[in-house]
Amino acid sequence: MQHRIDGERLWARLLAMAQIGPIPGDGSCRLTLSDEDEAGRALLVSWCAARGFALRRDAIGNLFFRRQGRDADASPVLVGSHLDTQPTGGRFDGVLGVLAGLEVLETLADLGLETERSVDLCVWTNEEGSRFQPAMMGSGVACGILPLEQVLAASDADGVRVADELVRHGYDREPAPDVGLADCYLELHIEQGPILENTGKTIGVVTGGQGIRWYEIALHGEETHAGPVPMALRKDPVPLLARMIDLVHAIGGRDPQARCTIGQVRTHPGSINVVPGRIEMTVDLRHPDEAELDAMHDALMRGCRDLASSHPSIGLDVQLRWHSPVVRFDPSLAKLVRQSAERMGIAAHDMVSGAGHDAFHLARRVPTVMIFVPCRDGVSHNPREYASPEHVAAGANVLLSVVLERAMSRG
Ligand code: HGY
Ligand code: MN
Ligand code: MN
C-alpha cells in the first residue's frame, strides 16, 4: 500500500508560514534570528507541540523535533531544511523542506504507523548566510564542520552577533543530538533553477552539489572632494572596481558550468560628492567540478595580483571567507528516491544542485540525499518564487516514501 501525505494541510501550512515576515510580491523576509525568523520558528513549535513531537535545541539554535520510533537505540532518520530567508526571499526556499518534513511526521501519526527508527525534523539555523556569514551555519556546527565559537562571534552589518541574538531569543547551550549517529538525512527543496521545468520533470533526484567559494574584497583609495581635484591626482578605487568586475565575469564565463556572482558592492562613505576612500565587494564562485573551482580561485588570485600591480596607488585586499567543496550524495538513497517516484508514476530527473544546502554538510557525516521539485521560471531568492500545490505534494509524497523505506526497518 502506498501512503500519501495530506497535500491540502501542507499547502495551508506553507501559506500560514508565509504570513510571517511577508514582503510585497508574495515574498518572505525572515532574516536569521530576527524577530520574524523567531516568529516562524514559534509557529512551527506550536504545530509540533500539538502533535507531541518532542523538541530539542542545540547551542547554535538548531531545532530537532522527534517522532519516537519503537527502538529508541536505533539511528534516527533525519528530515528537514531551514526557515530563514533572504531579504527579498520567497515562500518556498527552505520552508518547503521543513513543512514537508512536518507533514511526513503528521502523516505517520495519522496512520498510526509505528516506525522502527525515530524520525527527527531538523530546522537548521542560518542556512542563507545573508545576515550572518557563512551560509549553512547551523548545519555546519551540528556536523562539526564549523567551530561553534567562530560562528557565535559572527556579526551582522550593525555589529549584532549571532551569540547576542541567540541569548535575546532565549536559546541556551543545550546538549545537542549527534547528527553523526543518524541513519540518513533527507531534504526536500525547490530546485531554484530552470532544469526540471524545462525538461518537464516533477522530481529532481539530486546526486550532489556544486562547490562554492565566497570572497570579500576591499579596494583602498583616498576620500577627496568630487570637485577641485583633477582626475589624474585622485586615488579613486572605482576604475579598479570596473577591472575587478570584468575579471570576475571573465572567470565566470570560462565554461557553461561555471558561476560567478558579485552580490554586494559598497562604497565608503557613499556620498554623491566624495571620491570613495574604500570599496567593499563580495564574490561567489561555483562549479560542479572541484578542480575547476580551484582553477577559478587561482585565476581570481592571479588577476587580483595583476590588477594590484597595475594600480599601485590603490590597495587591494582579497579574503576567502568560505569554501564548501563539491559534494556527492548517497547513491543508494538516490536510488530510493528514483524508485519512489517511479512507483508513483512521477517523472524524475537526476541532477546536481546549483544552490548550497544544509544537506551539503550532512552528507559529510551521514548518508544524505535531496529531492527537488520545480519552481516557476526557475526563479528563487525572489518574492516571485513559486511551486505548485501539485509539485509540493508530489515532493512530500516521495519524501514520505523514502522515510518509510528507511525508518520501518533496522536493516
Ligand atoms: O548560497 C546558497 O546557495 C544558499 O541559498 N545558501
Ligand atoms: Mn534553501
Ligand atoms: Mn536560499
Side-chain angles (χ1 to χ4, degrees):
M1 174 179 179
Q2 288 196 20
H3 297 301
R4 291 285 186 276
I5 56 103
D6 178 340
E8 284 181 17
R9 176 170 59 189
L10 174 53
W11 189 255
R13 287 247 161 80
L14 281 162
L15 297 184
M17 186 61 75
Q19 296 307 309
I20 298 177
I23 57 173
D26 272 343
S28 296
C29 176
R30 292 191 301 276
L31 293 182
T32 296
L33 294 174
S34 63
D35 291 341
E36 294 79 13
D37 189 22
E38 196 54 25
R41 286 165 158 239
L43 178 60
L44 177 70
V45 168
S46 69
W47 288 335
C48 290
R51 299 302 299 256
F53 303 142
L55 168 60
R56 292 176 68 184
R57 304 186 307 187
D58 68 10
I60 190 66
N62 293 320
L63 308 178
F64 303 89
F65 301 93
R66 169 159 290 191
R67 182 173 186 269
Q68 192 62 47
R70 196 196 61 75
D71 182 348
D73 298 328
S75 298
V77 170
L78 307 184
V79 297
S81 193
H82 61 94
L83 287 177
D84 65 305
T85 75
Q86 288 287 337
T88 54
R91 296 176 290 170
F92 299 88
D93 176 359
V95 182
L96 172 60
V98 171
L99 297 185
L102 169 60
E103 180 53 37
V104 165
L105 266 57
E106 288 207 279
T107 300
L108 295 174
D110 292 346
L111 294 169
L113 283 177
E114 184 182 45
T115 54
E116 192 67 16
R117 302 176 187 281
S118 298
V119 182
D120 288 351
L121 168 60
C122 310
V123 180
W124 307 109
T125 301
N126 190 24
E127 188 281 340
E128 292 293 359
S130 177
R131 181 183 178 194
F132 301 105
Q133 293 179 12
M136 295 125 76
M137 186 183 269
S139 53
V141 169
C143 294
I145 295 165
L146 292 175
L148 175 62
E149 295 315 320
Q150 175 193 318
V151 298
L152 289 175
S155 60
D156 66 8
D158 299 324
V160 178
R161 297 177 310 147
V162 168
D164 304 326
E165 290 292 74
L166 288 169
V167 167
R168 183 167 75 88
H169 294 305
Y171 290 92
D172 46 30
R173 296 189 170 209
E174 299 171 35
D178 181 354
V179 297
L181 301 178
D183 168 68
C184 64
Y185 175 70
L186 312 168
E187 182 167 355
L188 173 64
H189 206 286
I190 53 169
E191 177 201 338
Q192 300 182 290
I195 296 170
L196 288 176
E197 195 173 57
N198 292 347
T199 54
K201 303 289 175 54
T202 300
I203 293 293
V205 182
V206 190
T207 56
Q210 58 182 353
I212 305 171
R213 284 175 179 263
W214 280 8
Y215 303 83
E216 278 179 4
I217 296 173
L219 310 179
H220 302 283
E222 184 176 49
E223 286 158 31
T224 189
H225 197 298
V229 183
M231 300 301 280
L233 300 182
R234 297 174 177 199
K235 291 181 181 172
D236 182 354
V238 171
L240 179 51
L241 170 65
R243 300 292 75 71
M244 283 296 300
I245 293 168
D246 291 340
L247 168 66
V248 170
H249 279 258
I251 293 169
R254 56 193 279 136
D255 86 49
Q257 289 187 298
R259 301 284 186 273
C260 76
T261 305
I262 297 174
Q264 293 176 357
V265 177
R266 289 186 297 272
T267 63
H268 297 272
S271 171
I272 188 168
N273 51 0
V274 177
V275 174
R278 188 173 81 254
I279 295 175
E280 291 162 353
M281 65 186 280
T282 60
V283 175
D284 175 318
L285 298 182
R286 304 196 188 200
H287 202 286
D289 178 303
E290 192 68 24
E292 279 304 312
L293 185 62
D294 288 345
M296 292 167 73
H297 169 82
D298 294 343
L300 179 65
M301 293 300 112
R302 202 171 41 250
C304 287
R305 279 195 301 274
D306 295 347
L307 287 173
S309 54
S310 59
H311 295 70
S313 66
I314 306 296
L316 197 166
D317 178 48
V318 189
Q319 296 289 330
L320 172 63
R321 277 280 178 258
W322 180 48
H323 173 213
S324 176
V326 167
V327 68
R328 299 276 174 259
F329 290 144
D330 182 87
S332 61
L333 286 173
K335 187 175 172 192
L336 282 183
V337 172
R338 227 172 273 120
Q339 289 170 337
S340 299
E342 198 175 323
R343 261 201 313 276
M344 295 178 202
I346 302 173
H349 178 79
D350 280 24
M351 58 197 301
V352 169
S353 174
H357 298 285
D358 295 303
F360 287 24
H361 285 322
L362 274 292
R364 290 163 66 182
R365 296 294 311 278
V366 295
T368 293
V369 76
M370 291 189 77
I371 304 161
F372 276 174
V373 292
C375 51
R376 185 178 55 196
D377 302 335
V379 166
S380 180
H381 283 191
N382 180 314
R384 250 184 9 99
E385 181 182 281
Y386 180 80
S388 71
E390 298 70 29
H391 287 160
V392 160
N397 277 318
V398 170
L399 180 67
L400 172 66
S401 171
V402 180
V403 166
L404 284 168
E405 289 278 349
R406 296 293 289 216
M408 290 306 271
S409 73
R410 283 212 59 167

